[in-house]
Amino acid sequence: MLPKIFIEVGAIFLILKKGIKDKKLITYLLMLIGLSAISMVNIPFNLNDIFDKLYVLNKYLFLSVFAVAFLSFEEDIRIKIIIQIRNTILVLGIINGLFMVFGLISQWEILKAYPNTHRFGYNGFLLKTSEASYLYILLIITTYYDYFLNKKNGILCLYFVAISFFLGTKAVWLFVTLLVSIHFLLHKKKQLRYIYSICIMTCFLVFYFFNDFIIRTVVSLFSFGPEIYNKHGFITFITSTRDLLLINTLNHLKEYGTYIIYFFGGINLKNFGVEFEFVDLFLFFGAFGLIVYILIIKRLFFTEYTKIKLLVFLALMCVAFFAGNFFVSFICSLFAYAVFKYMDYLNRINI
């Protein structure tokens, strides 16, 4: 929490000192703040509810505030900062991976993702498993992109892929599956694309004929799986009960929903958050706010564009949609910004 506050105070100081260079981004930011102010009309005057609203709003706006300040620097300084952030996390990811392996060997509870349970998972010295999943996904992205453009860091990318499985999260499995699909479907060799397409169709056929056996096998891999599956079904298992949260929130909206909530947001995510990323964004900001937030995402990550960058980003957003808690994490959003800006830097030097 303290590092985030220091970064925000420093960012605001820089904005005041150097001025605003990206006026479109600051316009979107002010629009979002204005829409959030309208949504607070729907909140009874309760200091706890107002604090919760402002606290979550601050989390969602952190990256935008950082980006406005960051863009006030000259380009050469920005590149140095991006490379420094990227390389620092790279080193931390490598070291933490060794701790994860040590955790598996030693069974030391402090290194487990789910201590004092039978569930498989090791996140080393990273405190939150959800953030650890995103960080390793981003490490895979940045090393894969380096390999894609320059045939560098291929071994390191495979290291991060292997280590990420130690986390024991479905988010990692989903992302790796999507990345493998992107890699082969965009491969230069037509034969490999053809072979992979056949493999995908074969997998669908196998699943169609043996779905019950496959589902029960997958469910049994997780200690909590059989209980959730038998009680609520496969959808609840695969979404880690988020579908139940969604049903609860929809029932709440059915009873208490207003036009202000639908268009401007105002739902307290502490009580009715679903942890589906874009559903939570809609609940918090409403339809208008969600549109503005998507424009902010586009402005932050896509001032420069390539097909592979877009596909990898969409794969990341697909994971975030089902796993949630991406944009509210200042560590994940900041590193994601550094990773995708580093992609732009690699594109420029490879022209």
Side-chain angles (χ1 to χ4, degrees):
M1 184 68 181
L2 281 176
K4 177 175 176 289
I5 293 172
F6 287 135
I7 293 172
E8 285 179 324
V9 171
I12 293 170
F13 175 76
L14 275 171
I15 292 168
L16 294 174
K17 183 181 178 181
K18 290 180 171 288
I20 297 166
K21 290 191 177 179
D22 192 333
K23 290 184 170 55
K24 186 173 282 189
L25 180 58
I26 198 70
T27 301
Y28 290 151
L29 188 58
L30 292 174
M31 285 173 64
L32 209 53
I33 292 171
L35 291 170
S36 296
I38 294 172
S39 74
M40 293 183 77
V41 172
N42 210 53
I43 300 175
F45 188 76
N46 181 304
L47 289 178
N48 287 332
D49 289 341
I50 292 172
F51 175 79
D52 288 342
K53 174 77 176 181
L54 294 175
Y55 178 70
V56 176
L57 179 65
N58 175 264
K59 284 185 169 186
Y60 275 127
L61 298 186
F62 165 78
L63 184 59
S64 301
V65 174
F66 171 84
V68 171
F70 174 76
L71 293 170
S72 67
F73 289 110
E74 298 300 322
E75 186 176 6
D76 59 333
I77 298 175
R78 295 203 302 266
I79 290 170
K80 287 178 182 178
I81 293 171
I82 289 299
I83 292 173
Q84 188 62 50
I85 293 173
R86 187 252 187 188
N87 290 345
T88 300
I89 302 294
L90 213 64
V91 172
L92 290 175
I94 293 169
I95 295 171
N96 188 68
L98 299 176
F99 277 92
M100 290 163 68
V101 174
F102 178 71
L104 176 64
I105 296 169
S106 66
Q107 293 296 300
W108 199 10
E109 290 293 328
I110 198 171
L111 298 176
K112 288 185 176 181
Y114 311 96
N116 303 312
T117 70
H118 296 295
R119 182 174 175 180
F120 176 84
Y122 303 87
N123 55 2
F125 55 75
L126 297 174
L127 297 178
K128 295 181 180 179
T129 306
S130 59
E131 286 187 348
S133 295
Y134 285 128
L135 286 175
Y136 275 97
I137 285 170
L138 289 165
L139 286 167
I140 292 169
I141 289 173
T142 190
T143 49
Y144 172 76
Y145 202 77
D146 210 359
Y147 172 78
F148 181 83
L149 285 185
N150 303 312
K151 295 297 181 281
K152 294 179 180 178
N153 285 327
I155 299 298
L156 190 55
C157 180
L158 291 175
Y159 169 79
F160 286 133
V161 169
I163 286 298
S164 67
F165 290 134
F166 283 59
L167 290 164
T169 61
K170 294 186 284 292
V172 165
W173 283 96
L174 175 59
F175 178 77
V176 171
T177 301
L178 293 172
L179 185 63
V180 169
S181 298
I182 290 168
H183 177 77
F184 281 106
L185 293 175
L186 291 182
H187 205 282
K188 292 179 181 178
K189 292 183 179 179
K190 188 176 180 180
Q191 297 91 333
L192 282 177
R193 297 201 303 269
Y194 181 70
I195 291 169
Y196 185 73
S197 299
I198 292 174
C199 289
I200 292 294
M201 288 187 286
T202 303
C203 288
F204 277 116
L205 285 172
V206 169
F207 182 78
Y208 179 79
F209 288 108
F210 303 100
N211 60 82
D212 188 61
F213 172 77
I214 293 170
I215 287 172
R216 290 188 179 278
T217 301
V218 171
V219 166
S220 67
L221 294 175
F222 297 83
S223 59
F224 63 90
E227 182 181 351
I228 292 178
Y229 175 71
N230 292 328
K231 189 174 181 180
H232 298 289
F234 185 67
I235 298 297
T236 302
F237 160 75
I238 208 72
T239 62
S240 299
T241 71
R242 289 179 179 87
D243 64 318
L244 301 181
L245 294 175
L246 178 61
I247 291 169
N248 181 54
T249 300
L250 290 175
N251 289 334
H252 175 76
L253 283 174
K254 197 177 292 184
E255 188 170 353
Y256 300 104
T258 63
Y259 286 115
I260 289 179
I261 287 177
Y262 291 129
F263 290 113
F264 301 101
I267 292 293
N268 189 329
L269 296 184
K270 188 176 178 181
N271 298 327
F272 295 101
V274 178
E275 294 185 20
F276 287 144
E277 189 71 11
F278 290 94
V279 175
D280 280 349
L281 280 168
F282 168 73
L283 293 172
F284 189 79
F285 288 116
F288 293 153
L290 176 60
I291 292 169
V292 175
Y293 202 86
I294 290 172
L295 290 173
I296 288 175
I297 292 171
K298 182 177 181 293
R299 191 71 183 171
L300 289 171
F301 292 96
F302 285 97
T303 51
E304 298 180 37
Y305 166 88
T306 63
K307 182 190 288 188
I308 185 68
K309 178 186 174 184
L310 175 62
L311 290 174
V312 170
F313 183 80
L314 289 175
L316 173 63
M317 288 299 97
C318 181
V319 173
F321 180 89
F322 290 106
N325 296 315
F326 181 75
F327 290 110
V328 292
S329 167
F330 90 93
I331 294 175
C332 294
S333 57
L334 180 59
F335 185 40
Y337 185 70
V339 163
F340 283 90
K341 287 301 175 185
Y342 182 75
M343 285 182 179
D344 295 338
Y345 167 68
L346 287 183
N347 291 333
R348 287 198 294 273
I349 64 175
N350 280 277
I351 292 175

